[in-house]
Amino acid sequence: MLYVINGEDVPDSLENRMTVRPEHLKRIQALQDAGRLILAGPYPAIDNQDPGPAGFSGSLIVAEFESLEVAQAWANADPYVSAGVYRKVTVKPFKKVLPA
């Protein structure tokens, strides 16, 4: 089943985010390599593709996991969690309707 992982950043997270970004992306790349990633990306803190020093306010990942518990455990092990980038992570089941 698909799950949405929504991470909300702490204020002024950009420096910590950039420090652990390679580790974060490596885990997401593994999901993609396994054919389980639907989409992933950050929320720019301002209305701009490149928010510069404004940074990001969080991230969204939609991927396939065996269960909600497995998705939650995967999300909890994210480097952004251990580095204090995320202040809150929400994991929910997701039903993709479109595009078909």
Side-chain angles (χ1 to χ4, degrees), residues 27-37 61 63-65 74:
R27 296 179 79 238
I28 296 171
Q29 184 65 51
L31 288 176
Q32 182 173 329
D33 293 347
R36 297 170 40 203
L37 181 67
I61 299 169
E64 183 179 351
F65 292 93
W74 188 91

Side-chain angles (χ1 to χ4, degrees), residues 1-6 38 60-72 75 89-97:
M1 182 165 186
L2 296 179
Y3 295 89
V4 169
I5 299 170
N6 186 63
I38 303 302
L60 174 73
I61 299 169
V62 179
E64 183 179 351
F65 292 93
E66 296 79 23
S67 68
L68 178 59
E69 293 77 19
V70 172
Q72 186 69 62
V89 177
T90 305
V91 180
K92 293 183 178 184
F94 180 75
K95 180 180 177 184
K96 180 182 173 202
V97 175

Side-chain angles (χ1 to χ4, degrees), residues 17-86:
R17 180 181 267 273
M18 297 314 291
T19 299
V20 295
R21 186 172 185 261
E23 297 168 52
H24 171 76
L25 292 178
K26 184 177 179 181
R27 296 179 79 238
I28 296 171
Q29 184 65 51
L31 288 176
Q32 182 173 329
D33 293 347
R36 297 170 40 203
L37 181 67
I38 303 302
L39 65 92
Y43 302 120
I46 61 174
D47 190 14
N48 194 308
Q49 281 287 95
D50 180 3
F56 300 92
S57 63
S59 302
L60 174 73
I61 299 169
V62 179
E64 183 179 351
F65 292 93
E66 296 79 23
S67 68
L68 178 59
E69 293 77 19
V70 172
Q72 186 69 62
W74 188 91
N76 290 344
D78 194 290
Y80 283 177
V81 172
S82 58
V85 173
Y86 290 154

